[in-house]
Amino acid sequence: MPNIRKKQHRGLIGMLLIAVAFTGLQLTAVTGRASPDAKNYLSYALSLSGESREEAGRRAIAYSCDSGQHASLSPVPWTNRKAVGESEEQCVRRLDASVAYWSRHGNTSGMTAPFANQRFMAIFEARPGYPLFLVPFIAVFGITWGLWLAGLVIALAGSVCVLLTLRAAGASRRAGLAGQALYLALPTGTVAMNPLSDGLSLALGTAVVLGCVLLLRDRPGRDGASGTGARPGPGAWLAAAGPRTGAVLVAGGLVLMFFVRYSQALLLAAALAGVLLVRAGWLHRKRRQFAPVLRAAALCAGLTVCVYAGAHLLGWPMGQDSAQDLLTHHYQRPDLPNPWPEFFVQEGVFWSAWLRRQITSPVLPVLLALSVWAMLKRRSVVLPIALAAGAAGLLNQAGHPNLGQLYGYRLIVFLWLLPALAIPLLLDRPARGASPPVPAQPEKVGGGQRDGRVGVAQQPREGA
């Protein structure tokens, strides 16, 4: 028992040290992270706090323009900041003029300030979850520190979910800590810290991934490192968590994700359903237990239908609107009668440029190659789920083939979950095959015989 508690304490200390190190790095860039969309979410959050639409817009403009002055000229891995393009006064005048223009041209309602036409701002009106999450942080700590702390909570929560996912799948403590560190060091940590809905969507996605692992593993973990019989903690919770807990995490995570960024929730649920269905078919063909995988696939498929139906009933922008947004420069030009031929042309342009980018900066290809190696060398329930999460990232980027996002990570960020979940498994020894080894045939040893399972049988003594 003391050894188990000592190991638990080591794991907790390791988790806290990683979190403290990440927090220290983030203190180098408390501001300077705002993107053009950050002011939309901020004005929404300020409106939810009780401020008027005009005042919310004014404060959001002030923060956005001030943040631009603190942006780094050379991006660093944990900030993803952009180069300064104009003075703060010029930025304020430009955005104030935009607000006045769109107010005069019909954008007079909604929770977000009128930074663009009403049809474009409806995209952000359909994402109330992230602004609502920001409200208490902004109310207590102000805009600058509130947004920073909200991002830190989101990033650390996602990293802990990755750690728990690996541990629930049977990975060692060092693999779990490696997964936590990778999540924070890769663009997943960068996106989580930025004041956008993508980070909160990603954190909820890691909770969904954890739920899927709990649904699919054979039984709750009972290894000594899990903390069975020790004082309550994450290890004990993982040991006790079962399929019901997994189902709650999957359904609850996707429902919350629906209000944060419903398009990503739809794609994640669909990708999980598809991969798990293929997995169930493969297991059935191999005459292995496939019912839990099939039930998980059915749950994700049902949630996919619910997410799509919910967005349709609420009148939120759908795929056609996204295509028109891309091709009409945020609806500032007339809609195309049939946007799909031109949209697929843009797909080809984007992905050819994206592949050239990966060749010149092959960080992601190397990490994906290591992930493939992990999938070939290790057997873990987390691998098909990580593959589905990565597919959801690719699908999300495919839905927005915007060359302006070529050097960014936020739309494709779920793809980076694959290396964060797969590569740490390489730190563990390969699991032995599930089938027991065939006992060795006995062979003669003098007057006795050797049994491959028991050892050398004693020879009968004389007179026995």
Side-chain angles (χ1 to χ4, degrees), residues 171-188:
S172 66
R173 184 176 294 103
R174 63 180 177 179
L177 292 174
Q180 180 193 8
L182 265 179
Y183 179 88
L184 294 174
L186 293 177
T188 42

Side-chain angles (χ1 to χ4, degrees), residues 18 43 96 115 149 167 191 194 278 289 333 342 373 448:
I18 292 172
S43 68
D96 281 342
F115 297 117
L149 284 170
R167 297 291 286 136
V191 169
N194 289 339
V278 171
Q289 180 67 19
R333 294 192 291 265
E342 179 64 24
W373 185 26

Side-chain angles (χ1 to χ4, degrees), residues 19 34 57 84 172 218 336 344 376 433 435:
V84 177
S172 66
D218 293 335
L336 299 179
F344 289 119
L376 295 174
S435 57

Side-chain angles (χ1 to χ4, degrees), residues 334-422:
D335 282 7
L336 299 179
N338 181 16
W340 298 115
E342 179 64 24
F343 181 82
F344 289 119
V345 169
Q346 291 294 322
E347 287 279 6
V349 172
F350 176 85
W351 288 111
S352 61
W354 186 83
L355 289 173
R356 290 195 298 270
R357 166 69 176 164
Q358 304 313 308
I359 293 173
T360 58
S361 180
V363 176
L364 179 58
V366 169
L367 293 177
L368 292 179
L370 288 173
S371 302
V372 172
W373 185 26
M375 287 188 282
L376 295 174
K377 294 292 185 180
R378 300 294 187 268
R379 292 182 181 180
S380 175
V381 69
V382 78
L383 291 175
I385 300 169
L387 187 63
L394 285 173
L395 290 172
N396 191 51
Q397 182 67 79
H400 305 79
N402 185 351
L403 287 174
Q405 297 294 330
L406 185 62
Y407 293 91
Y409 308 111
R410 67 182 188 88
L411 294 181
I412 203 171
V413 69
F414 270 78
L415 179 60
W416 292 84
L417 271 182
L418 178 55
L421 289 166

Side-chain angles (χ1 to χ4, degrees), residues 284-366:
H284 177 65
R285 185 178 179 183
K286 294 291 183 178
R287 299 179 182 273
R288 294 165 61 182
Q289 180 67 19
F290 67 93
V293 183
L294 189 60
R295 285 194 294 267
L299 174 62
C300 292
L303 290 167
T304 302
V305 174
C306 291
V307 169
Y308 181 83
H312 182 74
L313 291 173
L314 291 171
W316 287 352
M318 304 296 284
Q320 178 104 356
D321 300 280
S322 180
Q324 295 286 5
D325 170 48
L326 174 69
L327 300 175
T328 61
H329 191 60
H330 305 316
Y331 310 113
Q332 296 185 45
R333 294 192 291 265
D335 282 7
L336 299 179
N338 181 16
W340 298 115
E342 179 64 24
F343 181 82
F344 289 119
V345 169
Q346 291 294 322
E347 287 279 6
V349 172
F350 176 85
W351 288 111
S352 61
W354 186 83
L355 289 173
R356 290 195 298 270
R357 166 69 176 164
Q358 304 313 308
I359 293 173
T360 58
S361 180
V363 176
L364 179 58
V366 169

Side-chain angles (χ1 to χ4, degrees), residues 104-341:
R104 293 194 304 268
H105 287 78
N107 191 346
T108 57
S109 62
M111 301 297 289
T112 54
F115 297 117
N117 60 75
Q118 198 160 14
R119 189 178 176 189
F120 176 69
M121 300 310 295
I123 297 174
F124 301 94
E125 297 282 342
R127 300 171 183 173
Y130 179 63
L132 186 62
F133 177 81
L134 292 178
V135 169
F137 291 94
I138 294 173
V140 176
F141 300 102
I143 292 178
T144 300
W145 282 101
L147 290 176
W148 182 85
L149 284 170
L152 185 65
V153 169
I154 289 170
L156 294 181
S159 72
V160 171
C161 282
V162 168
L163 186 153
L164 293 176
T165 297
L166 290 167
R167 297 291 286 136
S172 66
R173 184 176 294 103
R174 63 180 177 179
L177 292 174
Q180 180 193 8
L182 265 179
Y183 179 88
L184 294 174
L186 293 177
T188 42
T190 302
V191 169
M193 286 298 302
N194 289 339
L196 296 167
S197 65
D198 308 86
L200 184 55
S201 174
L202 179 64
L204 292 170
T206 60
V208 173
V209 168
L210 173 58
C212 285
V213 169
L214 294 178
L215 276 173
L216 298 186
R217 67 179 182 174
D218 293 335
R219 61 183 182 278
R222 297 293 180 186
D223 60 349
S226 67
T228 305
R231 66 182 63 181
W237 179 83
L238 283 177
R244 289 186 180 180
T245 305
V248 169
L249 284 173
V250 171
L254 286 172
V255 167
L256 292 176
M257 203 177 183
F258 172 78
F259 294 102
V260 174
R261 196 177 181 89
Y262 63 93
S263 58
Q264 186 65 81
L266 177 67
L267 295 175
L268 178 60
L272 284 169
V275 170
L276 292 176
L277 187 60
V278 171
R279 174 72 173 169
W282 182 84
L283 291 174
H284 177 65
R285 185 178 179 183
K286 294 291 183 178
R287 299 179 182 273
R288 294 165 61 182
Q289 180 67 19
F290 67 93
V293 183
L294 189 60
R295 285 194 294 267
L299 174 62
C300 292
L303 290 167
T304 302
V305 174
C306 291
V307 169
Y308 181 83
H312 182 74
L313 291 173
L314 291 171
W316 287 352
M318 304 296 284
Q320 178 104 356
D321 300 280
S322 180
Q324 295 286 5
D325 170 48
L326 174 69
L327 300 175
T328 61
H329 191 60
H330 305 316
Y331 310 113
Q332 296 185 45
R333 294 192 291 265
D335 282 7
L336 299 179
N338 181 16
W340 298 115

